[in-house]
Each structure stands twice: as structure tokens, then as C-alpha cells.
Amino acid sequence: MKYLLIFLPLLLWSQEDFISHYEYGEMLYANPRGVSCSECHGKSGEGTTIVEYRDIHGKQSLKGSDIRQKSLKEMIHAVNAYHEVMPRYYLTDQEVQAIYDYLKVKNSTK
Ligand code: HEC
């Protein structure tokens, strides 16, 4: 226990940069000043079903795409563009970069 108390601050300090950038991206992905990305693209960007409904063609579903393989450039473009379903966001390139990095790290540790 004593051992842990001595080394924990060191450990936290040495990883501070990495953790804060990751957490920043995590925070932005969950709360990008608007509807959360995870509502439509899932917890890790893998995509998810937004809504299911029925029409004359039967059961339909609206899905948010898998964005794990998107490039940073595509992500910046997507966030700043108008879409039919996805809202437009007002995030800086740095903020989109943080989201992008967050998804990269999150999906590389599985
Ligand atoms: C209301 C649901 C919704 C939300 C919220 C949402 N998206 Fe999307 N997103 C979509 C859908 C649906 C598409 C597929 C294109 C379309 O029809 O709008 C898409 C497409 C994309 C694409 C791919 C564009 C391409 O090149 O194919 C990226 C990248 C993306 N979204 C990132 C994000 C990020 C980052 C956020 C949060 C800041 C976000 N999305 C929030 C629904 C959503």
C-alpha cells in the first residue's frame, strides 16, 4: 500500500499528457457541444442503430456508420459538413483531432 502511495503520483504524472489528450477526446466524443457522436456511431466508433421503424417496405433501420477507419481529413470534413442525418458541429480541427486520436487509441487496445 505504501509502495503504491509513493509510486502512484509518479505514474500519473508521467502519463499526464497522454491521459489528458485521451480524456479530452473522450469528453468531446461524448459531448461535442451538440448531440453525442456515440448516439449514432457507438461507444468506440463502430456504428450503431439510431432508430428502427416500419414502412410499406417492412422493417427499416437507420444506422450510424462505422467511423473507426476514417482518416482525420475525412473526419474533419464530416463534422463540418451538412448531412441528412448527422448534425453539423462547430468543433475546431484540434478538437476533431482529439476525437480522432481518442478513437484510434480506444480501438487499438482491444
Ligand atoms: C444523429 C446521428 C449522428 C451523430 C450525432 C453523429 N453522426 Fe456522424 N454520421 C451519421 C450518419 C447517419 C452518417 C452517414 C452519412 C449521413 O448520411 O449523414 C455519418 C457519417 C460520419 C462520418 C463519415 C463520413 C464519410 O466520409 O463517410 C464521420 C467521420 C462521422 N460521421 C463522424 C462523427 C463525429 C466525430 C460525430 C460527433 C462530433 C458524429 N459523427 C455525430 C450520424 C451521426
Side-chain angles (χ1 to χ4, degrees):
M1 190 60 202
K2 215 173 188 178
Y3 181 85
L4 199 80
L5 283 178
I6 295 166
F7 284 99
L8 198 64
L10 266 178
L11 216 93
L12 289 176
W13 185 73
S14 61
Q15 293 195 325
E16 192 186 25
D17 258 340
F18 171 73
I19 287 174
S20 57
H21 187 70
Y22 179 82
E23 286 177 345
Y24 184 50
E26 184 178 33
M27 188 198 82
L28 285 168
Y29 185 72
N31 186 16
R33 292 193 295 278
V35 186
S36 169
C37 314
S38 62
E39 295 271 336
C40 302
H41 295 290
K43 272 207 151 35
S44 310
E46 72 280 13
T48 189
T49 301
I50 302 165
V51 66
E52 280 182 332
Y53 57 96
R54 254 172 206 291
D55 65 11
I56 51 165
H57 306 293
K59 200 169 167 191
Q60 305 287 323
S61 65
L62 180 63
K63 288 187 165 56
S65 46
D66 182 342
I67 55 169
R68 289 173 297 183
Q69 302 306 322
K70 294 289 172 195
S71 68
L72 176 61
K73 215 176 138 206
E74 287 173 309
M75 200 169 279
I76 289 174
H77 178 79
V79 165
N80 287 296
Y82 289 97
H83 306 268
E84 252 181 45
V85 177
M86 180 170 153
R88 183 175 192 271
Y89 290 90
Y90 296 90
L91 297 169
T92 65
D93 289 0
Q94 284 76 16
E95 288 171 325
V96 181
Q97 168 104 51
I99 293 175
Y100 173 83
D101 291 342
Y102 161 70
L103 291 177
K104 278 276 164 292
V105 172
K106 184 149 196 205
N107 288 301
S108 69
T109 51
K110 270 194 208 152

